Amino acid sequence: MAMATMLQMMGDTLKSLSFDFPPSHQTDFADSLGGAWFVSPTQHALEIVFLVPLFTGMTIYFGNRAWGKHTEAYRLLNSKHPVPKASILERIIVVLMIGSFGITCAHKTVTQTLLFLMQPCHASALLLIIVMVWPFKQAPLIPRLLLNIYYYTLWGTILALIFPDLRDHDMFGEIFNFFLEHLLILIVPMYLISNPRYVTLPPSLDMALFSFFLYAFYHSPVLHLFSLWSGYNLNYTIVPPALGFLVETGPNYRYVMYTAALLNMFWTRYLVMENYHNLVRWFRQRSKLKSY
């Protein structure tokens, strides 16, 4: 009885501090922006209490194992060596990335949904821009680490292209820019992983788990709390996407999404990115042999 009372108090407290969402039975799956109490306030509170410390601790733990000062990855990320100048193609890519991101910002400004710039795909576009324009002589670890983390999270872009959520893309050019942005953040890493200007760490279990828990931490508490405060369904923290199999899982849909994210980290980096990287190196070696 005392436990039930405490849980009810936790739910009531979180609900009082959150946006005034409609009840779960009023969930509108035609709307991708707003949410409802699809997940009960009590469950939201429990997830914040238990998942946030877990994600925080595991991010620190696997981060230290993956690229702590005692690791070879740390040495590679901080290595000092001449960095070739950016090619014309790379500069064109930067312009395209900045242009697409600028259009996204304009659309979000007009629709008063700037908070949706926190969506992982928009954050990924900004991350890649930062990586490509970063002055490598200053703190090279930052852009190198960001890029190598992104190699594990590329699956989000692939899924966004397979299951595009265009429910609230009504403005002129918004759908075109959606596909342009997602194609860029899919293709650009393929270009960067084979570019001698950038350092690529070999795939590792520790790095995969660090990337997963960092991604999970960005989801909760960051996006989770912003969603509860604003009423926006940022990265489906409040209501699942309009996909039947996820909706049918009910309030536990996020656990399915976390599990899928964990598994996706591995095939993205080990299967897609590593095989592509090896293929590029093979073609380069073959071209050098032919030139002799």
Side-chain angles (χ1 to χ4, degrees):
M1 186 68 176
M3 178 61 72
T5 302
M6 185 180 71
L7 292 176
Q8 185 63 44
M9 287 179 58
M10 289 173 60
D12 290 343
T13 301
L14 183 136
K15 187 174 182 179
S16 68
L17 297 173
S18 301
F19 184 84
D20 186 18
F21 292 105
S24 60
H25 67 272
Q26 293 183 20
T27 301
D28 181 8
F29 286 104
D31 174 24
S32 67
L33 301 180
W37 286 119
F38 188 85
V39 176
S40 71
T42 300
Q43 184 174 329
H44 277 291
L46 285 172
E47 289 184 5
I48 291 170
V49 169
F50 289 104
L51 291 185
V52 172
L54 173 66
F55 293 158
T56 303
M58 291 296 98
T59 299
I60 296 171
Y61 174 74
F62 284 109
N64 183 59
R65 286 179 58 92
W67 56 277
K69 291 185 177 181
H70 62 285
T71 63
E72 176 66 12
Y74 182 83
R75 187 192 68 78
L76 290 172
L77 292 172
N78 286 282
S79 60
K80 306 287 185 181
H81 56 82
V83 178
K85 290 185 178 180
S87 64
I88 294 177
L89 175 59
E90 186 171 340
R91 292 174 183 173
I92 292 173
I93 289 172
V94 171
V95 171
L96 286 173
M97 290 287 298
I98 293 174
S100 177
F101 187 75
I103 292 171
T104 300
C105 292
H107 284 148
K108 302 304 180 191
T109 300
V110 172
T111 57
Q112 298 182 346
T113 56
L114 278 172
L115 209 56
F116 274 90
L117 291 175
M118 298 177 69
Q119 290 278 93
C121 285
H122 301 321
S124 296
L126 181 60
L127 179 152
L128 290 173
I129 292 170
I130 291 172
V131 167
M132 288 189 287
V133 302
W134 190 277
F136 285 100
K137 293 182 180 180
Q138 301 176 8
L141 178 143
I142 295 175
R144 291 170 178 173
L145 179 61
L146 289 175
L147 182 58
N148 279 276
I149 291 170
Y150 185 68
Y151 290 152
Y152 290 85
T153 62
L154 192 66
W155 58 268
T157 305
I158 297 172
L159 291 186
L161 288 168
I162 296 174
F163 304 107
D165 190 347
L166 305 172
R167 285 174 289 176
D168 291 282
H169 288 60
D170 303 319
M171 296 190 64
F172 176 76
E174 198 171 4
I175 292 178
F176 172 82
N177 191 57
F178 172 91
F179 286 103
L180 173 62
E181 179 186 48
H182 286 79
L183 285 171
L184 282 172
I185 61 178
L186 173 62
I187 296 170
V188 169
M190 299 289 190
Y191 171 73
L192 298 184
I193 200 171
S194 60
N195 190 319
R197 281 171 46 81
Y198 302 93
V199 172
T200 298
L201 300 177
S204 72
L205 174 63
D206 289 329
M207 194 66 178
L209 292 174
F210 166 68
S211 300
F212 166 71
F213 283 110
L214 182 63
Y215 182 89
F217 177 85
Y218 184 65
H219 185 278
S220 185
V222 180
L223 295 178
H224 194 176
L225 292 179
F226 270 101
S227 294
L228 289 172
W229 166 71
S230 67
Y232 286 133
N233 188 29
L234 301 175
N235 205 38
Y236 310 114
T237 53
I238 305 298
V239 172
L243 297 173
F245 66 94
L246 278 177
V247 175
E248 288 177 6
T249 60
N252 297 316
Y253 74 93
R254 281 201 301 257
Y255 305 135
V256 176
M257 295 179 75
Y258 281 132
T259 303
L262 176 60
L263 297 176
N264 288 336
M265 293 285 173
F266 291 94
W267 70 259
T268 301
R269 182 65 184 91
Y270 282 87
L271 184 61
V272 177
M273 298 304 291
E274 189 63 10
N275 284 334
Y276 173 79
H277 194 204
N278 290 335
L279 185 64
V280 170
R281 286 186 293 188
W282 181 78
F283 273 112
R284 283 180 175 171
Q285 290 173 356
R286 192 173 180 182
S287 298
K288 286 181 180 179
L289 289 174
K290 285 184 177 181
S291 63
Y292 290 138

